[in-house]
Amino acid sequence: MTACAQAEWGIMEATGLDGGPPIRTGTAIIDYTAGMIGAMGVAFALLARKKTGCGQHIDVNLLDSALSHMSHWITAYSLTGNDPPRSMSENIPATPYDILATKDKPVFIAVIKDRQASEAER
């Protein structure tokens, strides 16, 4: 079912090399996210019950879970009218942001832009 949700909400389309075929993620990320959303729902329902004495209804599904992972893609499309390019593990606004080969072993590098650094210092 996770693969169906990945396909339905565009996660497969957003994964992989630009120009290549859609690719399923390597883990059941949507299932894990739905579980975390469910756990948060239970925690908040228990808090509400303690404060109000009333029970709560919790509704969690895979498609809503999948949608939560596409916010960057939806925002980029909304602003430009175009699907952003697939960039493997890179993060376009913070490039370089990727796994790079070295002599010994791969290394993850994340570099923010000067503008982002100066905004973070404020």
Side-chain angles (χ1 to χ4, degrees):
M1 188 64 185
T2 294
C4 292
Q6 285 185 33
E8 180 75 22
W9 278 105
I11 291 175
M12 288 185 184
E13 182 62 31
T15 305
L17 294 171
D18 202 30
I23 298 174
R24 184 180 61 82
T25 63
T27 65
I29 191 167
I30 297 170
D31 291 325
Y32 305 145
T33 302
M36 288 189 297
I37 291 170
M40 287 187 293
V42 168
F44 284 118
L46 290 171
L47 180 62
R49 185 183 71 183
K50 185 175 182 177
K51 289 184 173 190
T52 67
C54 296
Q56 302 287 316
H57 173 82
I58 299 169
D59 182 10
V60 179
N61 65 68
L62 292 178
L63 291 180
D64 288 346
S65 173
L67 180 61
S68 72
H69 291 284
M70 293 302 292
S71 62
H72 69 289
W73 197 274
I74 293 166
T75 300
Y77 182 83
S78 297
L79 292 173
T80 67
N82 299 312
D83 286 335
R86 285 191 249 162
S87 58
M88 292 295 286
S89 63
E90 289 182 3
N91 180 327
I92 298 300
T95 301
Y97 186 94
D98 204 355
I99 298 169
L100 304 173
T102 69
K103 180 180 174 186
D104 298 330
K105 57 186 173 185
V107 175
F108 179 75
I109 304 288
V111 178
I112 60 175
K113 296 178 180 177
D114 288 341
R115 186 188 90 231
Q116 292 168 318
S118 61
E119 289 173 3
E121 291 171 0
R122 291 183 207 162

